[in-house]
Amino acid sequence: MTTTQTPQAIAGQKQEQDVAFYLRRAFKDHPEVLVINDFRFTFNDETAQIDHLIIYTYGFVLIESKSIKGHVEVNQQGEWTRSHGSKWFGMPSPIKQVELQQALLKEMLKQHRSEILGKLLGIRQQSFGMRCWDHVCAVSSDAVINRDTMPTAISELLVKTEFLVDKLEKIMNLKSKFMRIINVSDTPPDFNQQELNSITKFLIDRHIDPHQPTSEITLAQTQQVREPIAHFEVNKAVEAQTQAITQSTTHSILSCKHCGESTNYTPMYGKFGYYIKCNQCTKNTPMKQTCPQCQSKNIKIQKRSQSYTLTCQDCSHSSQVILN
């Protein structure tokens, strides 16, 4: 099976990959910042796709990625235009787009707040209303932005990719735990680590893979997440993965790399991806294995319900993990 992509689609994917790279470099080891790339969900019969979603101590930041070559202008009515060669074209406002996504996400989290957040002092149900909600649009670094005639409110939300992390750090304004204690009146309500994990798991459970309509990407179903989730990416399907569907699927049997135990373990998801935790020696073993076809280590793991599939990104060989 082959797919044909337009130059615009390829450029859009490249822009999202660039943004994901900067986010990964900046926050992959930050215990209070979680990132989901290409998050798609459905709520109240409405579907939304968020290019990049940041969940952090004080709230949420949504990032809309736009590949724009040439000039971009926004008039006082908030209408966007972009140049292509010597011609100008109108374009939908990415700011309005991300605002609609944010509203739907906020509504979904609010409705499910009792499942995600605990009660304050064991009495009052916490919510998402008082949290920080922000959004920005990250455009290609080679775009030419005419800020002189652009409304200030829109200019503040429009940032080039290489300056995105600086913008996010100002928005999130993360403070040390000590500063939060001594400046309680100047600090917004914050999520603790357990709540951050709970929110992330809730969202990942509801992610929709557009290339696998019936698939479900979830964290391992365990009684508790034992390792902080510092970073999570919902990776876009690529042509190699599409081709892999047509190939025969082999099977891989997992066992603990420390003690050899092959039956008494628990599948889990943590900071570095999917792994199994041995109940015998209590040590961890990554699910990623060397490709049996080409020996590549460039492996991606996809979870559907309770099954795991390993797909080689180099030769497209696919194998299903057998959990004993």
Side-chain angles (χ1 to χ4, degrees):
M1 180 185 298
T2 59
T3 58
T4 302
Q5 292 183 312
T6 64
Q8 293 82 358
I10 294 174
Q13 289 184 3
K14 174 63 166 57
Q15 169 63 7
E16 290 188 24
Q17 291 169 359
D18 289 345
V19 172
F21 168 78
Y22 279 99
L23 295 177
R24 182 169 59 251
R25 286 287 297 271
F27 303 119
K28 70 175 182 178
D29 294 323
H30 200 301
E32 297 179 330
V33 179
L34 311 171
V35 178
I36 301 179
N37 295 314
D38 190 22
F39 175 55
R40 301 167 188 260
F41 68 98
T42 298
F43 179 70
N44 278 354
D45 297 325
E46 298 289 338
T47 299
Q49 185 268 330
I50 300 173
D51 290 338
H52 313 276
L53 172 61
I54 294 179
I55 310 152
Y56 71 108
T57 301
Y58 301 133
F60 307 85
V61 184
L62 286 74
I63 304 170
E64 178 72 15
S65 295
K66 281 297 176 186
S67 173
I68 298 179
K69 306 292 184 182
H71 294 251
V72 58
E73 293 187 356
V74 184
N75 63 23
Q76 292 301 312
Q77 286 71 43
E79 299 167 338
W80 290 58
T81 55
R82 62 192 296 181
S83 68
H84 183 73
S86 60
K87 298 182 179 180
W88 284 83
F89 302 88
M91 62 176 287
S93 167
I95 301 299
K96 288 297 182 184
Q97 183 178 349
V98 74
E99 285 175 351
L100 291 174
Q101 297 163 354
Q102 178 177 300
L104 190 64
L105 175 65
K106 190 173 183 179
E107 186 179 353
M108 181 177 71
L109 290 175
K110 181 180 179 181
Q111 181 164 317
H112 293 276
R113 61 187 182 276
S114 61
E115 304 171 33
I116 308 170
L117 302 178
K119 293 185 177 180
L120 186 63
L121 301 178
I123 302 174
R124 191 177 67 183
Q125 174 63 53
Q126 297 189 73
S127 186
F128 295 94
M130 297 297 292
R131 313 296 175 164
C132 297
W133 288 87
D134 295 280
H135 53 269
V136 297
C137 176
V139 298
S140 312
S141 296
D142 53 358
V144 180
I145 304 173
N146 186 355
R147 297 186 185 273
D148 295 337
T149 59
M150 185 180 297
T152 302
I154 293 179
S155 181
E156 287 294 320
L157 300 176
L158 191 59
V159 59
K160 287 192 174 185
T161 304
E162 70 265 35
F163 300 112
L164 176 61
V165 172
D166 295 333
K167 180 71 173 180
L168 292 173
E169 289 178 344
K170 290 181 181 179
I171 290 175
M172 294 189 287
N173 191 24
L174 292 170
K175 303 174 183 177
S176 67
K177 293 183 179 180
F178 174 74
M179 292 302 296
R180 293 178 209 169
I181 294 175
I182 65 175
N183 293 312
V184 176
S185 61
D186 191 37
T187 302
D190 60 344
F191 298 121
N192 59 36
Q193 189 64 57
Q194 182 178 357
E195 290 168 339
L196 286 175
N197 290 344
S198 179
I199 295 168
T200 305
K201 181 182 183 304
F202 172 84
L203 294 176
I204 293 172
D205 282 348
R206 279 151 184 79
H207 169 70
I208 301 171
D209 186 344
H211 301 277
Q212 304 284 345
T214 59
S215 70
E216 180 182 6
I217 299 179
T218 66
L219 297 180
Q221 301 298 314
T222 57
Q223 291 184 347
Q224 72 180 75
V225 180
R226 303 188 185 183
E227 294 187 8
I229 307 168
H231 181 78
F232 181 88
E233 290 187 6
V234 179
N235 294 288
K236 286 180 174 289
V238 294
E239 185 173 355
Q241 290 173 310
T242 304
Q243 294 172 341
I245 297 175
T246 63
Q247 297 183 354
S248 60
T249 302
T250 60
H251 297 83
S252 299
I253 300 178
L254 285 179
S255 61
C256 175
K257 68 177 182 180
H258 302 281
C259 69
E261 175 60 44
S262 60
T263 59
N264 188 18
Y265 54 70
T266 303
M268 302 185 75
Y269 185 90
K271 179 177 179 179
F272 301 106
Y274 291 105
Y275 66 97
I276 57 173
K277 184 175 185 64
C278 180
N279 298 326
Q280 189 73 26
C281 68
T282 72
K283 294 183 179 180
N284 300 334
T285 299
M287 281 194 190
K288 281 189 177 183
Q289 303 176 32
T290 301
C291 174
Q293 191 81 9
C294 68
Q295 306 305 311
S296 171
K297 295 183 179 180
N298 187 16
I299 303 295
K300 295 293 184 182
I301 299 180
Q302 185 179 40
K303 183 177 186 295
R304 299 187 205 173
S305 187
Q306 297 304 309
S307 66
Y308 300 80
T309 301
L310 281 61
T311 303
C312 178
Q313 302 302 287
D314 293 331
C315 74
S316 302
H317 179 78
S318 179
S319 62
Q320 186 171 344
V321 178
I322 297 178
L323 300 178
N324 293 319

